Amino acid sequence: ETGVTQSPTHLIKTRGQQVTLRCSSQSGHNTVSWYQQALGQGPQFIFQYYREEENGRGNFPPRFSGLQFPNYSSELNVNALELDDSALYLCASSSEGHEQFFGPGTRLTVL
Amino acid sequence: QKEVEQDPGPLSVPEGAIVSLNCTYSNSAFQYFMWYRQYSRKGPELLMYTYSSGNKEDGRFTAQVDKSSKYISLFIRDSQPSDSATYLCAMNSARQLTFGSGTQLTVLP
């Protein structure tokens, strides 16, 4: 059984640029959630996708957007990057239950 | 006030000690409670998942939930240096998880 994978591992961007992060969910899981984790903090919920539809959103501006594909993989897009967007971005997958399993994360640095 | 409060530590204990990690919460709608372990620069790993008040044991780990007091705990028995990590409590009512800020634990050999 393959766990949750994310790409890329690390990314460096400059302020104002756009970025796309990718996530492949664990086999058998149809739900993907994205979280932002700043240094020394717990993860903060960005949004969740279930069967290709957004299924809940946290307190993040519209420049954070996402997609889920028919194979349940997902993308997180961030436009107009700001310095405060520097963080570890985590993807978690789940099935019909509430247990969420996380990937290794993508570390984004905005200069 | 944050919905979930967790003592950030850091917490340092000798090998073999019993470790107690705690979180309090304010949202009565939370129904599911989890503990994650996160090693440096890695994603969180699910350790324990509980629903009802009471204790749940898995090996050296015991999760305790007291819904009446809005208080959850994780106990680690016979702690090992490999347990050194950040421990995150998490809880949800719908699909989204709300996390504490994490407690950094170091187990000294």
Side-chain angles (χ1 to χ4, degrees):
Chain A
E1 183 181 272
T2 305
V4 179
T5 60
Q6 292 186 245
S7 63
T9 305
H10 297 90
L11 206 50
I12 299 175
K13 292 286 189 178
T14 56
R15 195 170 46 184
Q17 285 189 311
Q18 178 265 342
V19 69
T20 298
L21 310 181
R22 295 177 174 82
C23 170
S24 291
S25 60
Q26 186 169 315
S27 176
H29 288 182
N30 56 16
T31 302
V32 172
S33 303
W34 286 92
Y35 294 81
Q36 179 195 67
Q37 186 177 24
L39 199 61
Q41 300 297 316
Q44 298 291 313
F45 175 72
I46 303 175
F47 44 57
Q48 182 181 87
Y49 278 83
Y50 172 67
R51 294 187 176 180
E52 303 179 56
E53 296 288 332
E54 188 177 290
N55 184 39
R57 187 178 184 94
N59 189 27
F60 280 81
R63 59 189 185 86
F64 285 79
S65 63
L67 282 174
Q68 187 180 31
F69 300 100
N71 66 354
Y72 305 126
S73 66
S74 177
E75 286 182 355
L76 164 65
N77 299 290
V78 187
N79 293 322
L81 284 167
E82 301 177 0
L83 297 180
D84 285 348
D85 295 333
S86 295
L88 181 67
Y89 288 84
L90 295 161
C91 165
S93 75
S94 55
S95 57
E96 301 299 330
H98 295 263
E99 298 165 271
Q100 296 188 15
F101 298 90
F102 284 82
T106 293
R107 186 161 299 280
L108 173 65
T109 301
V110 182
L111 302 175
Chain B
Q1 182 190 9
K2 290 184 178 180
E3 283 189 294
V4 180
E5 298 280 356
Q6 182 174 7
D7 184 348
L11 184 61
S12 184
V13 301
E15 183 175 353
I18 296 174
V19 176
S20 172
L21 305 168
N22 310 293
C23 288
T24 59
Y25 62 96
S26 57
N27 188 345
S28 299
F30 288 141
Q31 298 178 351
Y32 302 90
F33 305 91
M34 285 138 277
W35 286 94
Y36 286 85
R37 177 174 64 195
Q38 186 173 28
Y39 292 112
S40 180
R41 310 183 81 82
K42 303 290 185 183
E45 171 193 3
L46 182 63
L47 281 178
M48 300 289 284
Y49 171 79
T50 58
Y51 170 71
S52 57
S53 284
N55 293 351
K56 179 178 180 179
E57 189 173 317
D58 184 1
R60 297 185 295 111
F61 299 92
T62 299
Q64 189 174 80
V65 174
D66 183 347
K67 288 187 177 181
S68 62
S69 301
K70 298 188 179 66
Y71 188 88
I72 69 170
S73 299
L74 177 70
F75 298 96
I76 307 174
R77 291 184 300 280
D78 188 24
S79 56
Q80 302 296 309
S82 59
D83 295 328
S84 298
T86 295
Y87 290 79
L88 296 155
C89 64
M91 44 202 81
N92 66 357
S93 56
R95 298 290 185 175
Q96 90 182 55
L97 294 180
T98 301
F99 283 85
S101 57
T103 299
Q104 186 178 347
L105 171 67
T106 301
V107 181
L108 302 170

